[in-house]
Amino acid sequence: MTKDVIALTERMPDALSVLAGLLAGGPDLLVETAGEGAVVQLCDADGRPLVSIEVPLMLQVPGEAARLLGPGAELSGDGPAWWVEARAAAGVPQAEQLAGAFAARLTMLLGGKVWPPDAPGTVGAARPVDVSGLTAVPAPAAAQPAVDMLTDKAAVVLQDRPVVPMTSWLSEVLRATVESERSLQIVTPPHCRLSTPTRLLLQSMPSRWVVQDERCGYYDGLTGAVLTWQDDAFSPARDENGETPVADAFTEEAGQTDERQLIVSFRTLHRPTADLVLGGALEAAWRALTGALPAGWGTSEPAGLTWSRRQLTELAYERAPRSTWTVVVGTPDRPAVATLRVIRTPEGVEEDVTLTVGHGPGEQLPLEALPGLAEELVTRYGLTTMLCHLRKARRDLSAPPHYEHPPLPYAFVLGPAEVQEAGRDTASRTPLEERPVQLGPSARPGFYYALGDAETAESWAALERLLRHLRGAPPA
């Protein structure tokens, strides 16, 4: 299993310090670049990559390293840290030693620490790693530097870390696999979890989380389906009845938590004016549900930049008409993570947001704030729709490889344009037990629909009845 090694440094890595780290393999190895210069590779004499090193990322957000690497990953002091990720090639034992030695040399020069602290190669890093006779596995044609195996159907990435984040290299692999009509398949040991952005992207695209299991071999970490390698990809296994069994490891810890998550997904639409500043709707939702503003953001994880609506807007403007996908994070005392996608459409500029907030046992969920938030989004930020869910799941918002209760809908909101499309009489008179709450001015209102207490599947039935009614479909 490939292990990534991360150097968290106190000072900014410059070209000389990175070069000194690269010399951990001695003068016989080659240094090349890939990914349009975003990745530096340490290669064998034939140019095949042994270690791939990402461009250093400055972390200005407290708690972001600990969120992804676990307790103890943060550096002491109030200043920023630099995250430098080194990925060893799979199937080459000395490659992981090279990655560890690189990270250890970097932290010796710049201060900081290596994760994991016991990574091979970190002890005696002042001496070059013995690479005599070392040969890397040939990189498959058209593969990204981070891909461990490429077939006609799948790009397989091996990971072994506490939380698998949507790093810049992993998001690039996901983009490339989609464009090549392949499936991204992330293989991990059973102790790994997925970050919320990674889980959401894997669920929305052709991809699979493959978990190694000593009893059944492999299973899907999100569905529990037992998997087998066939036709150049991991696929669901079939028993004698043609059915796919569910791994015991997936169900053994099913639903054993008193922690909760509140998930709010919404879309807003703005006119593309010169003074448009994005992120206001997400900021309003964050304040209403956590009592604070977002702490940081970025185009990948870790999210290293301090939250800034202006910088977000500038990035989206530079990338237009392409869409812009970002991660937004909170502070350690109130776990909150959002994904925000900005899309330029013929109607205007759309923001598509999913905000997830974690709560522990005994912590009050801010459900009473939802109608007021809906009112603000309707009147100030061009809300089109909003759906609020509750689920029993981890407070830290990471996804473990076992069964978690699915989210249950709690409330739905329709913006003014959608009310007009459905018809005001239709939108205001529904088959639900509770009457909708009118939002905004009576001349152009939105509506907030309560769907129950989100404790049973009846809330799904209520949402289905509401949506059929709003679409003008006859009752089921």
Side-chain angles (χ1 to χ4, degrees):
M1 183 66 66
T2 299
K3 281 194 174 183
D4 302 325
V5 183
I6 297 164
L8 294 166
T9 67
E10 296 173 354
R11 300 191 300 279
M12 183 179 71
D14 56 15
L16 289 178
S17 58
V18 172
L19 180 60
L22 291 171
L23 289 175
D28 297 331
L29 298 181
L30 304 177
V31 177
E32 298 182 354
T33 61
E36 298 181 353
V39 178
V40 177
Q41 293 181 325
L42 196 60
C43 303
D44 65 12
D46 294 322
R48 292 176 292 203
L50 297 164
V51 177
S52 299
I53 299 159
E54 291 285 314
V55 170
L57 174 66
M58 183 170 63
L59 296 184
Q60 304 179 58
V61 183
E64 187 64 353
R67 179 176 73 88
L68 301 176
L69 301 178
E74 295 291 321
L75 299 183
S76 58
D78 299 329
W82 276 263
W83 174 297
V84 188
E85 188 154 341
R87 179 171 171 79
V92 186
Q94 296 100 319
E96 193 172 339
Q97 288 184 291
L98 280 173
F102 164 80
R105 281 194 171 196
L106 210 58
T107 55
M108 281 193 298
L109 291 169
L110 303 173
K113 61 179 64 174
V114 175
W115 182 94
D118 59 349
T122 55
V123 177
R127 300 188 304 273
V129 176
D130 182 10
V131 295
S132 56
L134 180 59
T135 301
V137 177
Q144 300 294 318
V147 172
D148 294 294
M149 182 168 61
L150 189 73
T151 72
D152 290 339
K153 292 186 177 180
V156 180
V157 173
L158 309 179
Q159 285 283 271
D160 185 359
R161 54 204 297 172
V163 177
V164 179
M166 187 50 59
T167 58
S168 58
W169 62 261
L170 188 56
S171 62
E172 177 62 18
V173 170
L174 183 59
R175 181 199 61 78
T177 55
V178 170
E179 290 182 354
S180 63
E181 298 183 349
R182 291 181 172 92
S183 168
L184 172 62
Q185 303 196 330
I186 301 175
V187 183
T188 75
H191 61 260
C192 297
R193 307 186 304 276
L194 303 184
S195 72
T196 292
T198 301
R199 176 179 61 82
L200 291 175
L201 283 177
L202 291 189
Q203 289 177 324
S204 66
M205 296 183 179
S207 57
R208 193 179 296 280
W209 178 18
V210 182
V211 181
Q212 290 182 321
D213 180 66
E214 60 183 13
R215 287 170 288 185
C216 70
Y218 300 93
Y219 70 92
D220 190 305
L222 296 176
T223 68
V226 174
L227 303 174
T228 183
W229 180 263
Q230 55 185 348
D231 298 329
D232 293 331
F234 285 100
S235 303
R238 304 293 180 185
D239 59 19
E240 60 274 9
N241 298 318
E243 298 180 351
T244 298
V246 175
D248 292 338
F250 185 74
T251 58
E252 284 174 346
E253 300 181 51
Q256 296 180 11
T257 181
D258 292 326
E259 300 175 346
R260 298 290 185 274
Q261 294 177 5
L262 171 60
I263 307 162
V264 179
S265 301
F266 59 88
R267 291 182 178 180
T268 61
L269 183 64
H270 315 279
R271 289 185 301 148
T273 58
D275 58 351
L276 174 63
V277 180
L278 301 171
L282 173 58
E283 196 172 87
W286 211 289
R287 185 187 296 108
L289 302 181
T290 73
L293 294 178
W297 74 289
T299 57
S300 60
E301 293 181 286
L305 299 172
T306 303
W307 171 247
S308 168
R309 291 179 60 191
R310 177 186 57 79
Q311 291 180 350
L312 170 67
T313 304
E314 290 174 351
L315 177 65
Y317 180 82
E318 290 172 2
R319 293 191 173 187
R322 295 174 297 159
S323 64
T324 297
W325 182 88
T326 58
V327 177
V328 186
V329 298
T331 55
D333 60 312
R334 170 57 63 215
V337 175
T339 59
L340 185 157
R341 188 182 298 275
V342 180
I343 308 168
R344 186 68 168 91
T345 71
E347 291 76 26
V349 180
E350 179 180 293
E351 292 181 274
D352 190 348
V353 175
T354 296
L355 168 61
T356 306
V357 185
H359 295 81
E363 292 181 329
Q364 184 96 18
L365 276 75
L367 302 179
E368 73 286 346
L370 292 175
L373 170 61
E375 174 90 23
E376 183 175 5
L377 297 183
V378 164
T379 56
R380 295 187 58 189
Y381 296 108
L383 181 76
T384 58
T385 58
M386 181 169 79
L387 181 59
C388 307
H389 289 97
L390 299 177
R391 71 188 304 229
K392 295 180 180 180
R394 295 174 62 104
R395 182 181 186 269
D396 66 10
L397 309 183
S398 64
H402 60 70
Y403 175 83
E404 288 188 308
H405 290 282
L408 294 171
Y410 180 79
F412 180 72
V413 181
L414 209 60
E418 284 61 38
V419 168
Q420 187 176 13
E421 182 178 343
R424 180 164 179 167
D425 287 344
T426 298
S428 61
R429 299 173 184 175
T430 74
L432 302 179
E433 294 182 6
E434 291 190 43
R435 296 185 60 183
V437 176
Q438 181 175 309
L439 308 170
S442 57
R444 189 173 166 77
F447 285 99
Y448 175 96
Y449 304 93
L451 301 173
D453 57 8
E455 293 290 336
T456 68
E458 172 56 30
S459 59
W460 277 115
L463 178 60
E464 183 179 357
R465 289 197 303 272
L466 173 63
L467 295 180
R468 289 181 62 86
H469 171 78
L470 293 174
R471 294 166 182 157

